[in-house]
């Protein structure tokens, strides 16, 4: 289904926060840094979804938008991560974004992050509508993608010289997922009955009805 005219290289970065002001998060800081060091004229669009449900919570003191960076913010008061991602999809459609990138608040991103996602969008390979970075635990073990069989995870051996992997018995976590907007809808969005646990694996598992492979981006994140 075509959701309307979309500009090439049009990416929406989505950061979901909880009990932390978004501009103080590691992820936000690293994303802004990667954008600045890239010295690009392409705009950076960030949609902040704040799931903080504390009485009286506010974001007083938020920074003014930087040059060529658009930041939109919404507080959903924690209806669950699946609802947050589906809300991000609605925002993306309304604003004609072609790709969505999901990030959480506490991931360390390398300085080439923006440029890698930008290049992936520019290549516009919609036949691999899900693209993922390699995500490691802080001690160095690969976290995602991983072997995923009978709801159990095992470390996966990745050949970094091969830009895609077969999805059979493989899954990924939400962090860093780059999803083609039309495919997000084709895959029936996120299951909102799953507030947190397994919502990422459920989305990937359902995607196997439509695709056999995902693209591995030359990015390494740490959690």
């Amino acid at each position: 289904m075509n959701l309307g005219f979309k500009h090439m290289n049009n990416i929406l970065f989505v950061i979901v926060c909880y009990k932390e002001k978004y501009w103080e998060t590691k992820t936000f800081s690293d994303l802004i840094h990667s954008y600045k060091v890239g010295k690009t004229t392409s705009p950076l669009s960030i949609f902040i979804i704040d799931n903080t449900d504390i009485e009286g919570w506010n974001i007083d003191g938020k920074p003014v938008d930087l040059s060529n960076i658009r930041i939109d913010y919404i507080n959903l008061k924690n209806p669950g991560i699946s609802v947050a991602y589906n809300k991000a999809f609605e925002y993306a459609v309304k604003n004609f974004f072609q790709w969505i990138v999901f990030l959480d608040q506490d991931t360390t991103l390398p300085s080439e992050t923006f440029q890698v996602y930008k290049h992936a969008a520019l290549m516009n390979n919609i036949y691999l509508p899900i693209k993922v970075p390699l995500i490691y635990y802080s001690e160095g073990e690969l976290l995602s993608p991983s072997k995923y069989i009978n709801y159990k995870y095992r470390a996966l051996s990745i050949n970094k010289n091969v830009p895609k992997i077969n999805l059979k018995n493989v899954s990924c976590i939400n962090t860093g997922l780059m999803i083609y907007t039309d495919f997000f809808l084709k895959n029936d969005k996120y299951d909102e009955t799953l507030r947190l646990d397994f919502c990422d694996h459920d989305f990937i598992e359902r995607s196997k009805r439509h695709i056999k492979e995902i693209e591995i981006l030359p990015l390494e994140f740490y959690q």
Side-chain angles (χ1 to χ4, degrees), residues 69-172:
I69 300 176
R70 177 179 176 178
I71 302 171
D72 282 335
Y73 170 93
I74 187 173
N75 188 311
L76 295 182
K77 299 189 182 298
N78 203 21
I81 195 71
S82 293
V83 172
Y85 287 156
N86 288 343
K87 181 66 71 173
F89 166 76
E90 293 172 6
Y91 177 94
V93 171
K94 181 179 179 181
N95 292 278
F96 305 107
F97 285 98
Q98 185 176 25
W99 295 91
I100 309 173
V101 174
F102 292 135
L103 299 169
D104 58 25
Q105 66 189 38
D106 57 0
T107 302
T108 299
L109 313 180
S111 59
E112 66 270 22
T113 295
F114 180 80
Q115 291 297 328
V116 170
Y117 281 116
K118 173 188 171 184
H119 178 74
L122 184 63
M123 296 301 292
N124 201 38
N125 184 359
I126 64 174
Y127 298 102
L128 291 171
I130 297 179
K131 308 175 189 301
V132 301
L134 300 179
I135 301 179
Y136 294 87
Y137 292 107
S138 57
E139 62 271 19
E141 182 182 355
L142 183 65
L143 166 62
S144 179
S146 65
K147 283 284 187 182
Y148 185 68
I149 304 174
N150 297 325
Y151 301 101
K152 295 181 179 179
Y153 316 96
R154 289 188 313 188
L156 182 67
S157 178
I158 294 285
N159 183 346
K160 296 181 181 180
N161 296 317
V162 178
K164 59 185 179 181
I165 60 171
N166 193 290
L167 268 178
K168 184 177 180 180
N169 297 327
V170 167
S171 191
C172 308

Side-chain angles (χ1 to χ4, degrees), residues 9 11 13 32 35-36 39-46 64-71 97 114 118:
N9 197 33
I11 314 169
F13 290 88
I32 295 295
Y35 178 73
K36 289 181 176 180
K39 297 181 180 179
T40 179
T41 58
S42 300
L44 170 60
S45 297
I46 308 174
V64 176
D65 287 2
L66 303 172
S67 177
N68 222 24
I69 300 176
R70 177 179 176 178
I71 302 171
F97 285 98
F114 180 80
K118 173 188 171 184

